[in-house]
Amino acid sequence: MEIRAIWKLLSALMTVLVILVILTFGGVCVYCYNPSLLSATKVEPRLWSPPSLEKDLPEEQKGRMVRYGYALVTASSKWMGPMLKNPELRFAGNNLACKNCHLDMGRKPGSASWVGVTNRFPQFRARENAMGTIEERINGCMERSMNGRKLPEDSRQMEAIVAYLKWLSADLPQEREGEFKGFPKLKLPEVAADPLIGEKIYTTECQLCHGANGEGTWLADSTKGYQYPPLWGPDSYNDGAGMHRIITAAEFIKGNMPYGEATRESPKLTDEEAYHVAAYINSFERPVKADREKDFPDRRLKPVSTSYGPWLDDFSAEQHKYGPFQPIMAYYKETYGITKTK
């Protein structure tokens, strides 16, 4: 009887031990996948804010990768661009930094914020007409906004940038995701965007920071790049970048410019003013993206404000660049049943 009792006790202890091992292993897996699920102090959605490099940086290897990613996106020219001594590691072709468009180091709503961006991939990309990864999206910026070349997807630089984006997106409440996504919406004027009108607004509102010739302003330590980026010319984004489309540029300008004054909720420029300024900025020469004709294999999905062909319509290149865009949108709705907003 004693042996049987001891055996039952040992069996019960073994069962408890197995359960504890399973629970522990499961908890570790859950934590590795999403640490916030096991957080004892979960922040209320309305009180949540993007993490701070000074206060919230992870420890050890993960923290080092996040910090390296931060360096790459905030001083891009120094760490992966023209200022880098090793030409093999120069992937950016201009001296812009990723943060020049993704403001507040990618944390500002209304400036194509990176907060939550990794949660939206893989996603369909009309420009490639295929599902795309976050790495492919980053390389789209490298080839266009940075006027450079692709980062190898298995490179330390790519790994670090993705680590930084994931870190910014960690614990983002689902209720807050829309707040950080994309640009403010624009009530599209029903006239062509006019560079001459835009020039007057630019002189008053933009020239102080970006220069009379759109040349930008360097930081005091020029090795860290621009304080205010050039908006045209050889050191700016190329004509295959999204910012070269008038509607996209106008949305960004509305929610963010003049810098330090405008926000998504409280813009300074009107929709019409942002629209005309975008036309002025994009009326100047800039680098030409190679193989632009390969963009948007399904021509039906090409944004109406894409300034380069080919298109599936007979509207002029001038109208595709400056508008008015409503007739082009109406054509695609009537002909292909596609509703376009840009």
Side-chain angles (χ1 to χ4, degrees):
M1 290 295 294
E2 290 182 4
I3 294 175
R4 184 176 296 178
I6 292 171
W7 176 251
K8 286 184 178 180
L9 179 61
L10 288 174
S11 298
L13 289 173
M14 287 297 296
T15 302
V16 171
L17 182 61
V18 169
I19 291 172
L20 286 174
V21 169
I22 292 172
L23 290 174
T24 301
F25 180 75
V28 169
C29 292
V30 170
Y31 181 79
C32 290
Y33 179 75
N34 188 349
S36 66
L37 294 178
L38 298 179
S39 175
T41 56
K42 196 160 185 176
V43 179
E44 288 185 35
R46 64 184 180 84
L47 299 177
W48 183 89
S49 61
S52 161
L53 204 72
E54 292 75 24
K55 300 177 183 177
D56 306 311
L57 191 67
E59 296 180 357
E60 300 180 347
Q61 175 64 14
K62 184 177 179 181
R64 288 194 292 272
M65 288 303 291
V66 170
R67 188 176 290 279
Y68 181 40
Y70 172 86
L72 289 166
V73 301
T74 58
S76 309
S77 179
K78 178 179 179 179
W79 295 107
M80 59 176 176
M83 293 187 187
L84 198 60
K85 289 183 180 180
N86 186 347
E88 294 183 3
L89 298 179
R90 293 177 194 155
F91 294 98
N94 56 34
N95 286 295
L96 300 183
C98 306
K99 69 166 186 177
N100 289 144
C101 289
H102 306 273
L103 303 179
D104 188 23
M105 286 70 75
R107 306 190 313 166
K108 185 178 186 291
S111 64
S113 171
W114 293 322
V115 175
V117 69
T118 54
N119 300 336
R120 301 195 291 271
F121 282 85
Q123 67 174 213
F124 178 76
R125 302 288 302 163
R127 192 155 57 193
E128 294 79 26
N129 197 37
M131 293 296 291
T133 64
I134 186 63
E135 291 83 2
E136 289 169 328
R137 181 67 187 90
I138 290 168
N139 274 332
C141 282
M142 293 300 299
E143 291 188 302
R144 298 167 190 273
S145 299
M146 308 302 286
N147 192 36
R149 59 192 179 98
K150 292 180 179 180
L151 290 163
E153 291 194 9
D154 60 353
S155 66
R156 186 167 178 264
Q157 294 92 332
M158 179 65 83
E159 183 183 351
I161 292 173
V162 172
Y164 179 70
L165 303 188
K166 286 184 176 180
W167 175 71
L168 282 181
S169 303
D171 302 330
L172 171 65
Q174 190 172 358
E175 306 94 304
R176 301 281 302 279
E177 287 185 0
E179 176 184 334
F180 294 92
K181 187 178 179 181
F183 300 132
K185 293 303 178 185
L186 190 81
K187 184 178 181 182
L188 196 60
E190 297 189 14
V191 297
D194 190 336
L196 294 178
I197 297 174
E199 181 180 12
K200 296 176 182 177
I201 302 164
Y202 179 90
T203 301
T204 302
E205 301 288 356
C206 315
Q207 181 174 301
L208 179 65
C209 294
H210 294 285
N213 298 307
E215 69 274 20
T217 304
W218 291 92
L219 287 160
D221 179 359
S222 61
T223 64
K224 295 182 179 179
Y226 287 101
Q227 181 174 7
Y228 305 110
L231 300 179
W232 61 84
D235 214 21
S236 188
Y237 55 87
N238 67 39
D239 64 357
M243 204 62 75
H244 189 57
R245 298 198 296 264
I246 298 297
I247 298 175
T248 299
E251 290 176 339
F252 174 83
I253 291 165
K254 174 186 174 181
N256 298 286
M257 297 293 139
Y259 183 75
E261 297 183 51
T263 65
R264 185 179 205 158
E265 294 74 25
S266 182
K268 182 177 182 183
L269 301 182
T270 65
D271 289 19
E272 291 81 4
E273 288 172 329
Y275 183 63
H276 295 309
V277 169
Y280 177 68
I281 289 168
N282 283 312
S283 67
F284 293 96
E285 290 187 4
R286 62 183 63 256
V288 175
K289 170 70 172 66
D291 300 325
R292 297 177 308 178
E293 68 279 358
K294 295 180 181 178
D295 290 351
F296 303 99
D298 185 345
R299 308 291 183 213
R300 297 173 302 169
L301 304 181
K302 197 168 191 174
V304 298
S305 53
T306 306
S307 62
Y308 53 88
W311 302 282
L312 283 181
D313 57 67
D314 295 324
F315 294 95
S316 68
E318 180 84 2
Q319 187 163 353
H320 272 288
K321 182 167 184 177
Y322 294 112
F325 298 106
Q326 285 83 357
I328 310 177
M329 293 174 175
Y331 170 82
Y332 280 88
K333 178 65 175 177
E334 181 179 346
T335 307
Y336 299 107
I338 297 173
T339 300
K340 292 178 178 279
T341 59
K342 61 173 64 178

